[in-house]
Amino acid sequence: MTAAVYAFPQDMLRAAMLGAELGLDVQEIALHRFPDGESLVRVPVPAALDALLYRSLDDPNAKLVELLLAGATLRENGSRRVVLIAPYLAYMRQDIAFHPGEAVSQRVIGQFIADAFDGCVTVDPHLHRIHDLGEVMPGIVTISLTAAPALSGALDLAQNPLVVGPDAESVQWVHAIAGPQGLDSIVGHKVRGGDREVHIEFDEPARIAGRNVVLVDDVISSGATLAVAARVLRAAGARRIEALATHCLASAADLAGLKEAGIERVRSTDSIPGPTAEMALAPLLARGIREKELLKWHTHPS
Ligand code: R5P
């Protein structure tokens, strides 16, 4: 077998969609978590020469260790190259030490992935001060895709929405989503006081009154950012508020909080399974993998 997609049980459905797009077999990796928290990983053998290891990195701590075990075991059982397909890539937000002694998680986890894999494919990683995923994962092939066209295509143009980013870090997504459709957009100023404590202001509240608003962001984590943004928008006279994000990590309680804040509907890609996951990423991932010719490696060994 020259190439195959490998996935843990939780990701099998979405890995199967990717396998179907690429015309590849999808193999399940067995996983057992012991009562003491350790994980036992078993890969199907023999392993394909080119292994695409699919795993989204929400809830990342145990998953990173399991990926390390799976990647090494695929190599021990025949894989010459192992590429991580992580539609959601964790630990990308901490890109500097904000206080002395803080770990720069983006750099440490990026190096960990670069040491364990030959490539990494992901979607909308949170790169704020760094623009190229290759800088974070030196020496391996990196493919950083964007879901912005899919999110832009999900806008209801009949509503002539005002596209709103909650903070400076959302600017790139606001432009990529509003721009192609020629829609109005504004971006807020956010100050974060804690995990769930944020303050947001918009410069020209008069532009919000009476508008149907679509809030856009790369990631919804606790939901605090969008909940506060929605409250400020409502106070400024917004009519209807929806939200679109590439990744939605929010729990059921956090999603209920968004509704309470006045957001009628939240939609995201299926990078993380859940009630908001409406847009399948498999076609985008497959296109990126084909364009970088990752599957031609076995005929052109380096
Ligand atoms: C930060 O800049 C990100 O783009 C998101 O706005 C943020 O991570 C969302 O986190 P939360 O939902 O916890 O406010």
Side-chain angles (χ1 to χ4, degrees), residues 17-36:
M17 288 163 73
L18 179 62
E21 291 280 341
L22 293 169
L24 294 180
D25 270 3
V26 181
Q27 309 260 328
E28 185 164 330
I29 297 174
L31 173 65
H32 176 72
R33 286 198 180 146
F34 292 105
D36 63 5

Side-chain angles (χ1 to χ4, degrees), residues 93 126 166-167 169-170 173 190 192 195-196 198 217-226:
R93 279 175 284 183
H126 188 92
D167 54 29
E169 297 183 3
S170 64
W173 286 282
K190 177 170 90 178
R192 190 179 278 282
D195 289 345
R196 290 173 183 270
V198 297
D217 212 346
D218 58 332
V219 54
I220 304 172
S221 190
S222 69
T225 296
L226 292 194

